[in-house]
Amino acid sequence: MKSLKPVLALTTLLACAVLPCGFAAADDGAAATKLKAMENDWGNALLQKDHGVSVVSGMVADDFAGVNSKGKMQTKSSMLDEMKSEKSTLTASTTESMDVHVYGDNVATVCGTSTEKGTDKDGKAFTHHYGWVDTWMERDGKWQCVAEAGMLIPNQK
């Protein structure tokens, strides 16, 4: 069953990227704008000294469930622990695309791609490209990320 995780993550990413899904809510434009701003804040926070822990911890729901780019299942706690122990240093985090799909009044997905540049723990420079999908739910007037799946996209030449 473990070998299916990357396949499921890829399937979810592709479905969000190519299928015309989503049901319009009255304020889906406002929700899309808010969620794109939150995703940008998340990416920018990764450049901070704490690797984004202080910002991301406030965006992620306590009942969060995710699959990281290495195919590992994560809870909010395990994701934040991984961020805290990160040894690489990012110098840039850029989001190339985001596609928001709003489902009803309080649920949305954001499918996107991003690039991170920096140096690893040994000082070696890297550039990583990611594809991801975040599921957001508005609870008590606050949007929270409740699920996430991400994958490393091989460098294209």
Side-chain angles (χ1 to χ4, degrees):
M1 205 60 175
K2 287 184 180 182
S3 63
L4 289 179
K5 290 176 190 172
V7 173
L8 292 174
L10 177 60
T11 303
T12 302
L13 287 171
L14 291 174
C16 286
V18 299
L19 293 177
C21 50
F23 301 96
D27 66 345
D28 63 342
T33 299
K34 173 70 173 172
L35 293 173
K36 284 181 179 182
M38 291 179 76
E39 292 285 4
N40 281 324
D41 290 346
W42 187 323
N44 291 333
L46 299 176
L47 302 174
Q48 296 177 358
K49 189 173 185 173
D50 73 348
H51 301 281
V53 172
S54 59
V55 172
V56 175
S57 63
M59 293 182 176
V60 175
D62 290 339
D63 57 348
F64 171 87
V67 179
N68 70 14
S69 63
K70 296 172 185 152
K72 181 180 175 187
M73 298 286 288
Q74 292 188 309
T75 63
K76 177 180 182 175
S77 177
S78 65
M79 179 181 67
L80 294 175
D81 286 346
E82 183 177 291
M83 292 171 75
K84 288 175 191 174
S85 66
E86 181 60 49
K87 301 294 184 214
S88 63
T89 301
L90 290 183
T91 57
S93 176
T94 308
T95 301
E96 284 83 32
S97 66
M98 282 190 272
D99 189 16
V100 179
H101 300 273
V102 179
Y103 305 92
D105 293 332
N106 68 336
V107 177
T109 57
V110 183
C111 301
T113 58
S114 56
T115 299
E116 295 176 359
K117 295 181 180 186
T119 55
D120 65 17
K121 64 181 180 175
D122 299 320
K124 183 179 176 187
F126 66 80
T127 300
H128 294 149
H129 305 281
Y130 296 97
W132 45 267
V133 60
D134 290 341
T135 302
W136 294 83
M137 181 176 280
E138 186 179 31
R139 295 173 170 164
D140 298 322
K142 178 182 175 184
W143 283 98
Q144 297 180 307
C145 184
V146 295
E148 174 184 62
M151 65 177 288
L152 186 62
I153 301 170
N155 289 337
Q156 298 179 358
K157 296 180 182 186

